[in-house]
Amino acid sequence: MIHPSALIDPKAEIDASVEVGPFAVIGPDVQLGPNCVVHAFAQVTGRTRLGRANTIHSHCVIGGPPQDKKYQGEPTALEIGDSNTFRECCTVNTGTVQDAGVTRIGNNNWIMAYVHIAHDCQIGSLTIMANATQLAGHVEVGDWAILGGITGVHQFVKIGAHAMTGAGTTLLQDLPPYVMASGNPAGAHGMNTEGLRRRGFSDGQITLLRRAYKVLYKSGHTLAQAMEQLSDASSLGDPAAEDRAVLEPLLAFLGAATRGIVR
């Protein structure tokens, strides 16, 4: 299952089920879990650990050093979960000691060609990053987020769960959960209602999120005023308890926003 032309350091920890293609390179501090596939000319390097069933396509560099002038060769790391796909020419960097020292990627992410995930990024699960999406350092991406092709994300920006960007979007501020955004700089363009329906959100939950969007973006409130109103269920039509639960991630995100939010 390992091509004879592949260069694999004898110190690397590779499960017997791993497939490695021609001229691929595996570094000494790499751990590859069961059923991973590393295609021709790909490189996995650094202190990098991958779980089960990850696929790395040609010419990716997974676990390269941070593109940060402060980096002085410290032993930082990259941790990747299970069942992720990295298409051609993706680059993913390890962390820096100025942050937690670890770049993390969850499970079942679909990462298309030429995507860059910089040092210290924290990526959830079930995300989609279309071709040439570029994440600067320290970016956080929540579960189920979808980033359109050529999306550029400023360092330290947070992207909430189920959020979505259009092609060519530039994110300079935090993008709340459920919200769609596009443009340069990005502006908000409604809730990701079609994506939420596909993921099993009820009509009541989607209606409530639409009301929340109007409070946040159409009322003229400051962020603090909008959060205060969103915390009062009666102002949103006194929804059922099972529907109100969808507001909790939104309020928690808004309370933790550090760069302001996309407006």
Side-chain angles (χ1 to χ4, degrees):
M1 306 294 283
I2 296 177
H3 195 276
S5 67
L7 300 176
I8 301 177
D9 193 284
K11 296 180 181 178
E13 299 179 22
I14 300 177
D15 187 85
S17 62
V18 168
E19 298 181 32
V20 183
F23 303 104
V25 178
I26 310 295
D29 298 317
V30 171
Q31 299 177 35
L32 293 176
N35 301 311
C36 285
V37 178
V38 181
H39 285 281
F41 297 100
Q43 181 178 161
V44 187
T45 186
R47 294 176 64 229
T48 297
R49 183 175 70 221
L50 290 90
R52 304 175 61 91
N54 294 284
T55 301
I56 299 171
H57 284 261
S58 296
H59 301 286
C60 289
V61 180
I62 306 298
Q67 297 180 96
D68 187 324
K69 288 186 175 181
K70 298 184 294 300
Y71 181 68
Q72 299 296 319
E74 298 90 351
T76 56
L78 168 63
E79 297 179 357
I80 297 173
D82 303 332
S83 302
N84 298 285
T85 297
F86 299 87
R87 292 305 302 259
E88 296 78 6
C89 302
C90 290
T91 53
V92 185
N93 295 163
T94 58
T96 64
V97 295
Q98 285 75 35
D99 202 317
V102 182
T103 303
R104 292 188 177 91
I105 297 175
N107 306 317
N108 296 290
N109 295 290
W110 182 253
I111 300 171
M112 299 187 197
Y114 294 95
V115 169
H116 175 64
I117 299 176
H119 58 86
D120 303 293
C121 286
Q122 308 294 310
I123 312 300
S125 297
L126 298 159
T127 70
I128 297 173
M129 300 185 193
N131 298 53
T133 291
Q134 308 288 293
L135 306 186
H138 316 279
V139 166
E140 298 180 16
V141 181
D143 297 345
W144 292 102
I146 298 176
L147 305 183
I150 325 177
T151 291
V153 185
H154 193 281
Q155 62 184 351
F156 293 102
V157 160
K158 298 178 179 67
I159 299 170
H162 302 281
M164 183 175 183
T165 67
T169 298
T170 300
L171 284 176
L172 304 178
Q173 295 175 299
D174 296 349
L175 178 60
Y178 315 117
V179 174
M180 296 190 299
S182 64
N184 181 9
H189 296 284
M191 287 291 186
N192 182 16
T193 53
E194 185 58 36
L196 297 176
R197 285 196 184 94
R198 293 175 181 176
R199 293 165 204 151
F201 283 67
S202 69
D203 289 342
Q205 290 172 323
I206 291 172
T207 297
L208 180 57
L209 288 173
R210 283 175 165 164
R211 291 172 182 166
Y213 182 89
K214 290 180 180 179
V215 171
L216 190 57
Y217 288 101
K218 302 295 186 179
S219 64
H221 290 332
T222 66
L223 179 57
Q225 290 169 336
M227 290 178 61
E228 183 177 359
Q229 184 170 344
L230 291 174
S231 299
D232 180 6
S234 63
S235 69
L236 299 171
D238 200 19
E242 60 269 23
D243 293 339
R244 289 202 299 269
V246 298
L247 293 178
E248 294 174 6
L250 178 60
L251 285 166
F253 184 96
L254 296 175
T258 55
R259 295 185 55 82
I261 65 168
V262 170
R263 300 286 268 191

